[in-house]
Amino acid sequence: MEDVQERLALAIRLAREAGAIQRERYESELVVETKRTDVDLVTDVDRACEEAVVRGIRAARPGDGILAEEGGGDDAAGTGWRWVIDPLDGTTNYAHGYPCFCVSIGVERDGRPELGVIYNPILDELYHALRGGGAFRNARPIRVSQQRDLTRCLFATGFAYDRHANPGANLRHFEGFLRRGRGVRRDGSAALDLAAIACGRFDGYWELDLKPWDVTAGTLLVEEAGGRVTDLSGTPGRTDGAAVVASNGLIHDDMLAVLRGE
Ligand code: IPD
Ligand code: CA
Ligand code: CA
């Protein structure tokens, strides 16, 4: 238990450190480059945040494995512990000065998420979850919503970076939820979308083609807040992000039906 608590304290400290970099550089001149596609961006702030987090982990926990989005880690998990880091989730928002982005840090032990921290530096909201220990925002317990009726639900989603070439599947799902719920948001930060499910701001969220660093911390947060996270078939426990459906639990089966086109 001590090991987990110490890593949680470290994750919180490093999330705040990276968040401070994001706040300081927000709306300043950025170096913006593209990655796999023309709409997949990376900025010098993504890199600076990753460097700060990775440096902090290496100093305090040199044997732990690190999977970090911009490639700054090494995936060799000598201790069985692995840090899964999105140093800046919401890069497109960040590059456009839209204030919706965060740092996301998940920590797994032997492949199973044990703790998660998500920090929104603009709202100064720090979310954390410990397996079996609950979910919190700024140290206060949070819960998912209690809504059962899809017509009263607010949903969120996102679109993958290959959407210019392949806009297909998610547009159909988007239309399905648009026709069923109160609204669908596309806010541009998967980790904050999951945090919003955990604290009841959104009732349901789905996205196709995410990566482990987008979902590791947020998935634990939703589960510890009483929600449910699965793939499209309803199977829990996936950490690759390939297809994520997150909800308050009560509407989950109805969401899966909408995603099947029913
Ligand atoms: C992206 C955001 C976005 C989601 C994309 C992600 P990034 O992460 O979470 O909301 O729709 O699929 O890749 O690139 O800003 O870290
Ligand atoms: Ca991301
Ligand atoms: Ca990112």
Side-chain angles (χ1 to χ4, degrees), residues 25-257:
R25 294 288 316 277
Y26 182 54
E27 291 185 311
S28 71
E29 189 118 342
L30 302 173
V31 179
V32 183
E33 293 164 67
T34 58
K35 297 198 284 184
R36 285 161 301 155
T37 72
D38 285 354
V39 288
D40 187 359
L41 308 181
V42 59
T43 73
D44 49 334
V45 176
D46 296 65
R47 296 206 169 96
C49 291
E50 182 162 306
E51 268 166 40
V53 174
V54 169
R55 195 184 322 119
I57 298 165
R58 288 217 204 289
R61 295 280 163 184
D64 288 6
I66 300 175
L67 174 65
E69 178 176 11
E70 310 309 339
D74 61 47
D75 210 1
T79 55
W81 291 90
R82 183 171 82 151
W83 296 65
V84 185
I85 300 154
D86 194 333
L88 202 179
D89 185 51
T91 298
T92 307
N93 289 342
Y94 196 81
H96 286 257
Y98 181 66
C100 181
F101 49 83
C102 65
V103 189
S104 175
I105 302 177
V107 184
E108 300 171 339
R109 184 180 205 173
D110 300 328
R112 195 175 77 149
E114 288 294 328
L115 68 92
V117 173
I118 293 173
Y119 182 52
N120 176 336
I122 295 295
L123 294 180
D124 192 24
E125 290 184 335
L126 188 123
Y127 296 85
H128 82 268
L130 271 183
R131 175 171 296 284
F136 302 83
R137 183 179 62 218
N138 292 345
R140 298 202 171 158
I142 50 174
R143 289 290 300 167
V144 292
S145 78
Q146 294 305 303
Q147 188 52 255
R148 292 173 178 274
D149 179 354
L150 281 196
T151 65
R152 293 175 176 223
C153 285
L154 186 57
F155 295 100
T157 188
F159 291 85
Y161 284 127
D162 66 349
R163 60 185 169 266
H164 285 188
N166 181 24
N170 210 30
L171 277 181
R172 279 198 303 281
H173 301 323
F174 193 88
E175 185 181 357
F177 284 103
L178 212 53
R179 288 178 183 280
R180 303 294 278 277
R182 231 175 223 177
V184 185
R185 299 290 177 261
R186 195 288 191 238
D187 244 356
S189 165
L192 286 183
D193 289 334
L194 288 164
I197 296 287
C199 66
R201 290 174 179 165
F202 293 149
D203 306 288
Y205 163 75
W206 81 95
E207 187 159 345
L208 313 177
D209 210 14
L210 290 169
K211 296 285 185 280
W213 44 79
D214 297 309
V215 299
T216 300
T219 296
L220 188 64
L221 202 64
V222 171
E223 289 174 349
E224 287 295 325
R228 190 172 155 198
V229 184
T230 70
D231 64 11
L232 293 175
S233 72
T235 307
R238 284 186 65 167
T239 52
D240 60 1
V244 175
V245 186
S247 77
N248 64 10
L250 303 171
I251 58 164
H252 206 87
D253 291 338
D254 288 345
M255 282 189 72
L256 294 175

